[in-house]
Amino acid sequence: MALFVSTYINKVDRKGRVSVPAQFRAALNIPAQPVFVLYPSFTLSAIEGCNVDFLEKLADSTSTSFDLFSTEQEDINTLIFSVSHQLTCDPDGRVVLPEEIMAHANITEQAAFVGKGKTFQIWEPEALKAHTAAARARAMQNRPQISLRASPAAEEK
Amino acid sequence: MALFVSTYINKVDRKGRVSVPAQFRAALNIPAQPVFVLYPSFTLSAIEGCNVDFLEKLADSTSTSFDLFSTEQEDINTLIFSVSHQLTCDPDGRVVLPEEIMAHANITEQAAFVGKGKTFQIWEPEALKAHTAAARARAMQNRPQISLRASPAAEEK
DNA sequence: TGATTTCCCATGATATCCCATATGAACCCG
DNA sequence: CGGGTTCATATGGGATATCATGGGAAATCA
């Protein structure tokens, strides 16, 4: 089962290639040629990444005959599948990030791969820092008793 | 399994030929000669596309659930099957789009192939832009939770 | 035979493959 | 315990393959 953990910052070379972290490639569990899907996050300046299985399941669930012609399903399909990209790692474990989603996440020189359990995200490293700080601030506000026990750097991964 | 994702804008040449995106041809998974079906959408100014399997399933589901909405099922049969065209890519991966459906979608110089999961659509690029913007507006306004659910990592606050 | 469609080849741009190198971690062995 | 070595990974660059596209030749049809 795919499990994406930890954060890796890799370089985007002149050709736009970036190494997918070896641990992530392993998590994609198609030994020879890891395949996955990327799409821009709806709510964040980041790229969402997931297994192909996930999108296939979604495709199944949104193409039953009765829903086929509903505006709602049509919109969901439009907003997800049309902006997704199916990618395959090259023999060295790299991929070329598609233009649009690189622009969406403001990625130019470096890409931060962030494990999210069953999925992962790709961030511009500075944007990731800001996002992480904001998330921490929210967590402290919502659960003050946790922040009291935690030392300032303890939740750093 | 066929999965159509991403959006590709290709040129319609003087003979009316268009390259079917290589990824879509692969998704049609009949390696030598990709076969698929096109029909005009009856709700949108677009062309609907799918592989033959999908249409066969649609035929099954519409004929077995005649007890509900029987006139609608009848209409669907009429509106889809009677106006469908089965096409085969030429050796270079191109097809000639039939007159009627090209007119239906107002396609002249460029054709945007849009992945929809198990199916795809073909749009005139400008019309596609407008449709996408409208779909996004509807999704945000009506059911924000749907778009959030659809994104595997988007439950992040 | 004339018109239309399909096939075949050429081309430029781009993406992919393959090899080489650098870095660092784990390992082995003296 | 230390030094060397092997391995996996990330990264760079040149060579090769793929793709979209244009145009001409062959085949098809009426």
Side-chain angles (χ1 to χ4, degrees):
Chain A
M1 168 71 211
L3 193 61
F4 303 97
V5 295
S6 191
T7 297
Y8 304 86
I9 297 182
N10 287 342
K11 195 179 175 194
V12 180
D13 72 12
R14 271 190 300 167
K15 299 182 182 178
R17 295 177 300 185
V18 77
S19 290
V20 176
Q23 294 232 0
F24 283 24
R25 300 202 301 266
L28 291 166
N29 75 10
I30 299 164
Q33 295 237 310
V35 178
F36 57 95
V37 173
L38 297 182
Y39 57 93
S41 163
F42 290 101
T43 54
L44 303 170
S45 289
I47 303 169
E48 301 279 348
C50 68
N51 220 315
V52 179
D53 293 352
F54 176 82
L55 267 208
E56 289 184 346
K57 277 181 198 152
L58 189 62
D60 282 339
S61 70
T62 59
S63 55
T64 60
S65 67
F66 271 116
D67 290 345
L68 248 188
F69 311 105
S70 80
T71 311
E72 201 172 275
Q73 291 299 336
E74 163 66 25
D75 288 349
I76 291 173
N77 288 342
T78 297
L79 294 177
I80 296 174
F81 294 107
S82 68
V83 294
S84 292
H85 293 261
Q86 182 171 335
L87 301 180
T88 307
C89 289
D90 72 15
D92 299 327
R94 291 183 281 196
V95 293
V96 181
L97 299 179
E99 282 285 332
E100 314 101 71
I101 61 181
M102 256 181 70
H104 175 79
N106 301 312
I107 290 173
T108 54
E109 315 230 309
Q110 288 190 317
F113 289 75
V114 183
K116 293 274 169 177
K118 292 191 176 183
T119 66
F120 61 94
Q121 294 176 344
I122 308 177
W123 287 80
E124 194 284 318
E126 287 304 316
L128 174 61
K129 270 191 201 168
H131 173 71
T132 306
R136 179 171 299 130
R138 274 195 303 273
M140 298 221 287
Q141 196 168 17
N142 295 339
R143 299 195 285 251
Q145 72 277 14
I146 287 181
S147 65
L148 287 179
R149 273 208 304 275
S151 68
E155 68 270 30
E156 193 82 41
K157 169 63 252 234
Chain B
M1 136 141 197
L3 188 66
F4 300 98
V5 296
S6 192
T7 298
Y8 305 87
I9 297 181
N10 287 342
K11 198 179 175 193
V12 180
D13 71 11
R14 272 189 299 166
K15 300 180 183 179
R17 297 175 299 185
V18 193
S19 290
V20 177
Q23 292 238 10
F24 281 25
R25 300 202 300 266
L28 291 166
N29 74 11
I30 300 165
Q33 293 238 310
V35 177
F36 57 95
V37 173
L38 297 182
Y39 58 93
S41 162
F42 54 86
T43 56
L44 303 169
S45 291
I47 304 169
E48 300 279 347
C50 63
N51 62 20
V52 180
D53 291 352
F54 184 87
L55 212 61
E56 284 175 355
K57 276 183 198 154
L58 188 62
D60 286 343
S61 64
T62 56
S63 58
T64 54
S65 52
F66 58 88
D67 47 316
L68 281 180
F69 308 115
S70 60
T71 55
E72 288 185 13
Q73 300 289 345
E74 173 62 27
D75 289 346
I76 287 172
N77 283 326
T78 303
L79 289 172
I80 293 181
F81 295 113
S82 66
V83 291
S84 290
H85 294 259
Q86 181 168 333
L87 301 179
T88 307
C89 289
D90 73 15
D92 298 328
R94 290 184 282 197
V95 293
V96 179
L97 300 178
E99 279 290 330
E100 316 102 71
I101 60 181
M102 251 180 77
H104 175 80
N106 301 313
I107 290 173
T108 54
E109 315 231 308
Q110 289 190 316
F113 288 76
V114 183
K116 293 273 170 173
K118 292 196 155 186
T119 66
F120 61 94
Q121 294 176 342
I122 309 177
W123 286 79
E124 194 284 318
E126 288 303 317
L128 173 62
K129 271 190 199 168
H131 173 69
T132 304
R136 176 164 291 122
R138 271 196 303 273
M140 288 305 185
Q141 189 175 10
N142 297 340
R143 303 274 189 108
Q145 71 274 20
I146 285 182
S147 55
L148 290 180
R149 252 211 322 273
S151 166
E155 65 272 12
E156 172 171 2
K157 256 268 277 298

